[in-house]
């Protein structure tokens, strides 16, 4: 797999730029926040925080702009705005993260009933609001991770191996957040986060492979984050934290395996 890693100049430009933007912005912010020079909610904090989060989106356009020989900007924008797909794909993009969240809780509670007391859901009327918030706060990353790396690497190594390769790199991109006071990842379990990234990378990679729509990936990514904000996740600290990541990984692998030989080559069929 690694022999194909540098094959795409567009993907390499993307990775260099997105890590540069995000790690500089979040690295500076972490240093300032740990010294209590700024804190979450103040404008200096939020400017650097949002800038770092937009690293993949900005880097995606820079990479496309600097590699016109691979495909023009118009082709990339068509994938960003590809909305003419069957309604079932919208249902899957928005509904699969919700279903997996409840399934993980159900499995965890069945195995450890005491965990049920730690589960608390927010009112469902907040979901559309959280979805809109997480489109910016996470979903727009898909311009780069699926729109560039998944798309480019799948040509060389197939979509399944591309998704598996993206997962640890994507997790590493998030690393500065674990040193940033005020955010959810601060002092979190990076190994558990990494495990979760494999599952979501597979789900998003499968969705992109089947639809070639960056827009749908934005929606699924946002829905995955919104579900967590709603409280639909297995609480950590009670020995069942791997339930969600393992379930996502299993379902993602099954979805890819259901594609048969297409999992090893780009599925160009439009639906």
């Amino acid at each position: 797999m690694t022999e194909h890693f540098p094959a795409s100049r567009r993907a390499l430009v993307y990775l260099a730029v997105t890590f540069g933007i995000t790690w500089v912005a979040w690295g500076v912010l972490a240093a300032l926040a740990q010294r209590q020079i700024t804190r979450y909610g103040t404008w200096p904090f939020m400017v650097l925080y949002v800038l770092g989060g937009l690293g993949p989106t900005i880097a995606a356009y820079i990479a496309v702009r600097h590699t016109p020989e691979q495909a023009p900007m118009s082709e990339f924008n068509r994938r960003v705005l590809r909305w003419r797909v069957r309604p079932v794909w919208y249902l899957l993009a928005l509904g699969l993260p919700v279903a997996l969240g409840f399934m993980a809780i159900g499995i965890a509670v069945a195995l450890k009933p005491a965990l049920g007391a730690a589960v608390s859901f927010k009112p469902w009327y907040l979901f559309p609001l959280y979805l809109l918030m997480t489109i910016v706060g996470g979903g727009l990353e898909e311009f780069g991770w699926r729109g560039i790396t998944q798309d480019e690497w799948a040509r060389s190594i197939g979509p399944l191996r591309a998704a598996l390769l993206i997962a640890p790199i994507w997790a590493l991109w998030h690393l500065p957040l674990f040193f940033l006071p005020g955010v959810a990842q601060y002092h979190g379990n990076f190994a558990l986060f990494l495990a979760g990234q494999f599952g979501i990378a597979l789900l998003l990679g499968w969705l992109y492979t089947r639809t070639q729509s960056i827009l749908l990936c934005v929606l699924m990514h946002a829905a995955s984050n919104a579900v967590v904000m709603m409280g639909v996740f297995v609480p950590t600290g009670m020995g069942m934290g791997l339930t969600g990541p393992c379930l996502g990984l299993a379902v993602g692998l099954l979805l890819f395996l259901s594609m048969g030989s297409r999992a090893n080559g780009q599925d160009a069929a439009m639906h």
Side-chain angles (χ1 to χ4, degrees):
M1 180 161 50
T2 54
E3 66 179 332
H4 294 290
F5 182 87
S8 169
R9 179 170 172 261
R10 175 171 289 185
L12 289 176
V13 171
Y14 163 72
L15 289 174
V17 176
T18 194
F19 271 87
I21 293 174
T22 300
W23 277 27
V24 168
W26 286 350
V28 169
L29 182 55
L32 293 175
Q34 288 183 10
R35 290 168 174 78
Q36 299 184 343
I37 297 173
T38 186
R39 66 182 186 279
Y40 188 89
T42 61
W43 72 263
F45 188 110
M46 300 312 294
V47 167
L48 288 172
Y49 184 49
V50 171
L51 176 60
L54 290 176
T57 315
I58 298 168
Y61 276 104
I62 291 174
V64 173
R65 176 67 178 81
H66 281 78
T67 55
E69 71 283 357
Q70 292 186 235
M73 184 70 73
S74 58
E75 184 276 335
F76 179 75
N77 286 330
R78 279 195 296 271
R79 288 187 286 121
V80 169
L81 300 174
R82 181 164 289 150
W83 61 274
R84 289 188 175 182
V85 296
R86 289 184 299 178
V88 67
W89 292 113
Y90 285 96
L91 180 62
L92 286 168
L94 295 172
L96 193 55
V98 177
L100 290 176
F102 278 113
M103 287 174 63
I105 291 173
I107 293 170
V109 171
L111 295 173
K112 192 169 187 176
L115 188 144
V119 177
S120 178
F121 306 134
K122 293 184 180 178
W124 276 101
Y125 59 77
L126 293 175
F127 183 76
L129 173 62
Y130 289 153
L131 185 67
L132 290 174
M133 291 170 58
T134 52
I135 285 175
V136 177
L140 295 183
E141 294 175 24
E142 295 308 308
F143 282 54
W145 297 115
R146 255 47 63 179
I148 301 293
T149 51
Q150 180 72 37
D151 188 73
E152 291 292 319
W153 289 343
R155 303 175 197 276
S156 300
I157 60 177
L160 174 55
R161 285 184 290 176
L164 292 172
L165 177 59
I166 289 166
I169 299 171
W170 190 22
L172 188 62
W173 174 83
H174 286 86
L175 186 60
L177 293 177
F178 289 79
F179 302 91
L180 182 55
V183 303
Q185 293 87 350
Y186 184 55
H187 282 172
N189 187 326
F190 184 76
L192 188 61
F193 179 80
L194 173 61
Q197 291 301 98
F198 275 96
I200 189 63
L202 284 171
L203 294 172
L204 287 164
W206 169 79
L207 181 66
Y208 180 78
T209 301
R210 295 304 308 274
T211 66
Q212 297 291 286
S213 171
I214 297 172
L215 173 62
L216 283 179
C217 293
V218 169
L219 292 178
M220 177 178 274
H221 188 145
S224 298
N225 288 354
V227 163
V228 173
M229 294 176 70
M230 292 292 297
V232 186
F233 64 93
V234 178
T236 58
M238 299 186 69
M240 300 299 294
L242 278 173
T243 306
C246 288
L247 180 62
L249 180 61
V251 171
L253 285 172
L254 286 173
L255 289 171
F256 264 111
L257 291 175
S258 71
M259 294 168 54
S261 60
R262 290 179 296 178
N264 295 314
Q266 195 70 286
D267 177 17
M270 291 295 100
H271 298 277

